[in-house]
Amino acid sequence: MTYVIAQPCVDIKDRACVTECPVDCIHEGVRTLYIDPEECVDCHACEPVCPVEAIFHEDDLPQHWAHYLAVNAEYFDEAARPPGERGGAVGDHPAVAALPPQSALHKKGISVFTVRKEEAADVDPWFPS
């Protein structure tokens, strides 16, 4: 089992998930981040810190982004090939490289501070910690 980074990350790349990942399985492409399914230990550390909610467990991946399971896996197959043998744009999976620019206006607002979803419910605005 693995976690998957889907389309909301494209052109955002917040990188909070990279900081949280204990095994460094999240790698940066030109326009988005990718999770290496061979390295992911299914620890759940990355999902709650993603401010645009782009990270899903493969079993919870929305149907309209189901192809991102293959995109994340194929990115690492492409990266293993010599640059002259790569298909599509160097630095991103061809499906991501082909996307039009993703406007931040259509994304959920990114907070200045990254807060886990569970912690957000416990915040007391009168007594900040």
Side-chain angles (χ1 to χ4, degrees), residues 92-108:
D92 269 315
H93 185 277
V96 172
L99 288 172
Q102 305 293 298
S103 171
L105 298 175
H106 300 301
K107 307 282 183 169
K108 293 185 179 198

Side-chain angles (χ1 to χ4, degrees), residues 3-118:
Y3 278 83
V4 177
I5 296 178
Q7 188 170 342
C9 184
V10 175
D11 295 332
I12 297 293
K13 296 193 313 184
D14 177 73
R15 300 182 51 83
C17 57
V18 175
T19 304
E20 288 293 316
C21 181
V23 294
D24 296 326
C25 69
I26 302 172
H27 301 273
E28 187 171 357
V30 174
R31 296 182 63 197
T32 192
L33 301 170
Y34 300 90
I35 295 177
D36 187 339
E38 298 294 322
E39 295 177 5
C40 182
V41 294
D42 200 21
C43 69
H44 184 70
C46 59
E47 182 187 20
V49 298
C50 180
V52 292
E53 298 178 3
I55 302 175
F56 301 90
H57 190 271
E58 69 178 279
D59 293 337
D60 299 330
L61 195 59
Q63 188 62 35
H64 59 284
W65 290 326
H67 65 286
Y68 277 89
L69 181 61
V71 165
N72 278 254
E74 291 169 5
Y75 174 78
F76 294 97
D77 291 341
E78 288 286 318
R81 296 182 195 166
E85 295 179 16
R86 290 182 183 172
V90 175
D92 269 315
H93 185 277
V96 172
L99 288 172
Q102 305 293 298
S103 171
L105 298 175
H106 300 301
K107 307 282 183 169
K108 293 185 179 198
I110 297 176
S111 114
V112 176
F113 303 100
T114 54
V115 177
R116 296 177 195 261
K117 293 175 191 168
E118 297 84 4

